[in-house]
Amino acid sequence: MEENKMGVMPIDKLIMSMSLPIMISMLVQALYNIVDSVFVSQISENALTAVSMAFPIQNLMIAVGVGTAVGMNALLARSLGQKDFDKVNKVAENAIFLAILSYLAFLIIGLFFVEPFYLSQTDIEEIIIFGKEYMTICCCMSFGIFIQLMFERMLQATGKTIYSMYTQGVGAIVNIVLDPILIFGVFGIPGMGVTGAAVATVIGQIVAGILGIYLNQKKNREVRIQMKGFRPAKDIIIQIYGIGIPSIIMQAIGSVMNYGMNRILISFTSTATAVFGAYFKLQSFIFMPVFGLNNGVIPILAYNYGASNRERVIKTIKHSIIYAISIMVVGLFVFQVFPEPLLRMFKASETMLAIGVPALRRISVSFLLAGFCIACSSVFQSLGKAVYSMVISVARQLVVLLPVAYGLAQIGNVDLVWWAFPIAEMMSLGMTIFFMIRIYRKVISQI
């Protein structure tokens, strides 16, 4: 087979060719996230709060799907770099098996644990009703997102990121189009409210998953999937999760953090929780491109690590950090200058604006530090040290952010709580620099 472009193309051009399609598709995904909440906010503030409170479970779902796919991505790309094409196919087949198991776990959550989850956060009946409607559908029909994530990462691992842009973009567009139709009722279809938002979400995911399967079968010639007679390979599953579990834990911690912040904020008012939910939707428009950059860089680093090309590994690291920080500079500017117009998209009341404007300005102070840390996490994951990212994430969100937020909340001023984010990011920066020096000495310098 001809040399893969990840081993020969100039680094800047390679990063752009690998990352730009993913960044565009994730921007579309972020747009869908915002539009989804904008439509829901037209129903009521309680509806927006209910969808915001669903984030911990949705984030856990994405954590499991993305974490497993990250493990598959890095292992598959490394096997390509080593020219071990038989292992490439086995990695892909076992990854599909793990995606199915992941769906079954969230089917159980959707059937039995949604109501207790909401009751643990609030006793407001309308929020609980909206939340049950939304989350039950999202969990029980979540097979689409697990299939979508796995097949997208297969395309990314072999350098065909343009096709993963198609899957994410089509899925998000389907969702955006269906949202107003199913939420409010158009073309003779009765309005379903929050239920309609959930149905639009899962239909978009299923369409993206089907397209991902099709594109892999037709366009991804470096991977041959034959599930007939498949038997799980214990050694490959261990390797996938050896890389993926730290990523799963790292992202799942976000669910714990979000759940804890919801509990802290709702002690002030449910509006503060709605503000936090709106912030997460808005910040995804800044963070998603950085995560897209990461997704494009991971297979580049893993491939050249497998091919023992130290020069290309170092150059990729330097350039990805510069790009990530540049994106965050734009995000910082937008959040500092335009917080009120951003919140008004969610039909923000004066109370919501009074809480939300300082919230967006204070949290966004952490963006520049976060850009550097996120870029470095791709280095840890692709070079087999994903546990570093996990340790940093645990420390930032559980050891620092939540305790600091809780302590500031005791003062009785919700505006102070938002400073917990920049404080936690400062700690994250220090740990990231320490681990980068360590991985350079023990791994990169030894290539």
Side-chain angles (χ1 to χ4, degrees):
M1 298 181 69
E2 65 181 24
E3 180 72 20
N4 191 287
K5 68 178 182 179
M6 289 186 286
V8 295
M9 185 180 286
I11 292 298
D12 276 322
K13 184 178 179 182
L14 179 60
I15 291 176
M16 287 297 101
S17 70
M18 291 286 288
S19 300
L20 197 57
I22 309 175
M23 292 166 70
I24 293 171
S25 63
M26 294 189 84
L27 274 171
V28 175
Q29 192 78 13
L31 178 62
Y32 131 67
N33 284 332
I34 293 175
V35 171
D36 200 44
S37 291
V38 166
F39 283 129
V40 168
S41 69
Q42 305 305 306
I43 301 171
S44 70
E45 189 175 289
N46 278 345
L48 177 61
T49 302
V51 172
S52 300
M53 285 183 167
F55 182 81
I57 290 183
Q58 288 183 300
N59 188 63
L60 182 62
M61 190 186 303
I62 294 170
V64 172
V66 169
T68 306
V70 162
M72 179 275 300
N73 187 340
L75 186 58
L76 196 153
R78 193 181 307 166
S79 301
L80 279 173
Q82 296 166 343
K83 312 300 184 194
D84 188 348
F85 299 109
D86 182 57
K87 186 175 181 180
V88 167
N89 298 332
K90 289 182 179 178
V91 169
E93 291 164 4
N94 280 273
I96 293 170
F97 169 71
L98 295 177
I100 294 170
L101 292 184
S102 300
Y103 162 65
L104 293 177
F106 280 91
L107 174 62
I108 293 171
I109 291 174
L111 292 174
F112 301 108
F113 296 104
V114 170
E115 184 171 5
F117 169 75
Y118 272 93
L119 286 171
S120 70
Q121 296 184 84
T122 182
D123 57 359
I124 300 175
E125 185 176 358
E126 188 177 37
I127 293 177
I128 294 170
I129 292 171
F130 283 144
K132 284 173 61 180
E133 291 177 14
Y134 185 79
M135 276 313 305
T136 300
I137 293 171
C138 288
C139 287
C140 291
M141 300 296 290
S142 61
F143 59 87
I145 192 168
F146 289 110
I147 296 299
Q148 174 190 349
L149 289 169
M150 198 59 69
F151 281 93
E152 281 176 356
R153 292 304 174 98
M154 286 183 200
L155 292 164
Q156 292 170 20
T158 56
K160 298 172 178 62
T161 54
I162 187 69
Y163 295 119
S164 68
M165 181 184 76
Y166 295 159
T167 59
Q168 278 204 339
V170 169
I173 291 169
V174 168
N175 196 329
I176 291 171
V177 170
L178 288 180
D179 261 335
I181 295 173
L182 298 181
I183 292 174
F184 304 116
V186 183
F187 307 126
I189 298 174
M192 293 186 282
V194 173
T195 299
V199 172
T201 295
V202 298
I203 290 176
Q205 292 166 353
I206 292 169
V207 169
I210 293 172
L211 182 58
I213 293 172
Y214 171 80
L215 289 173
N216 267 279
Q217 291 296 101
K218 296 296 183 181
K219 304 294 184 180
N220 208 353
R221 299 183 180 183
E222 290 169 295
V223 180
R224 289 286 179 264
I225 299 171
Q226 297 291 336
M227 298 302 290
K228 185 177 180 181
F230 167 79
R231 294 289 184 276
K234 182 179 178 181
D235 60 328
I236 288 178
I237 291 174
I238 289 173
Q239 289 180 71
I240 289 174
Y241 278 134
I243 301 169
I245 283 180
S247 180
I248 292 172
I249 293 173
M250 182 174 64
Q251 294 190 68
I253 288 165
S255 296
V256 178
M257 181 277 292
N258 197 279
Y259 178 82
M261 286 298 297
N262 284 340
R263 293 286 300 269
I264 291 168
L265 293 169
I266 206 164
S267 66
F268 290 97
T269 168
S270 62
T271 302
T273 306
V275 166
F276 188 53
Y279 159 73
F280 255 92
K281 300 294 184 179
L282 291 167
Q283 63 92 28
S284 68
F285 210 72
I286 308 301
F287 279 75
M288 283 290 195
V290 181
F291 290 137
L293 176 68
N294 257 25
N295 291 342
V297 166
I298 286 174
I300 298 173
L301 289 171
Y303 183 97
N304 286 286
Y305 176 50
S308 298
N309 193 326
R310 181 172 62 183
E311 181 183 354
R312 288 178 68 82
V313 168
I314 293 174
K315 194 170 183 180
T316 300
I317 293 170
K318 290 180 179 178
H319 289 227
S320 64
I321 290 173
I322 293 170
Y323 293 143
I325 293 176
S326 300
I327 294 169
M328 286 302 193
V329 168
V330 176
L332 175 63
F333 174 80
V334 172
F335 272 61
Q336 291 294 323
V337 178
F338 305 110
E340 185 171 332
L342 291 174
L343 289 168
R344 286 200 181 278
M345 293 192 300
F346 299 92
K347 202 178 178 180
S349 62
E350 291 304 313
T351 303
M352 188 171 176
L353 288 173
I355 297 173
V357 168
L360 264 57
R361 285 183 171 147
R362 291 173 185 182
I363 297 175
S364 63
V365 171
S366 64
F367 282 7
L368 298 184
L369 306 181
F372 175 83
C373 296
I374 293 170
C376 291
S377 72
S378 67
V379 180
F380 304 148
Q381 292 170 18
S382 55
L383 301 187
K385 300 294 183 181
V387 68
Y388 291 172
S389 296
M390 181 188 73
V391 170
I392 293 169
S393 187
V394 169
R396 182 174 68 86
Q397 299 188 78
L398 300 188
V399 178
V400 179
L401 197 153
L402 280 181
V404 170
Y406 179 79
L408 293 173
Q410 303 312 301
I411 299 174
N413 185 349
V414 69
D415 289 344
L416 296 177
V417 175
W418 313 115
W419 285 115
F421 287 87
I423 292 171
E425 209 61 58
M426 283 293 295
M427 181 282 307
S428 178
L429 176 66
M431 291 187 68
T432 299
I433 292 172
F434 171 79
F435 282 128
M436 279 296 293
I437 294 172
R438 183 181 178 88
I439 203 170
Y440 179 81
R441 289 175 177 172
K442 291 185 174 294
V443 180
I444 298 173
S445 65
Q446 304 301 317
I447 297 175

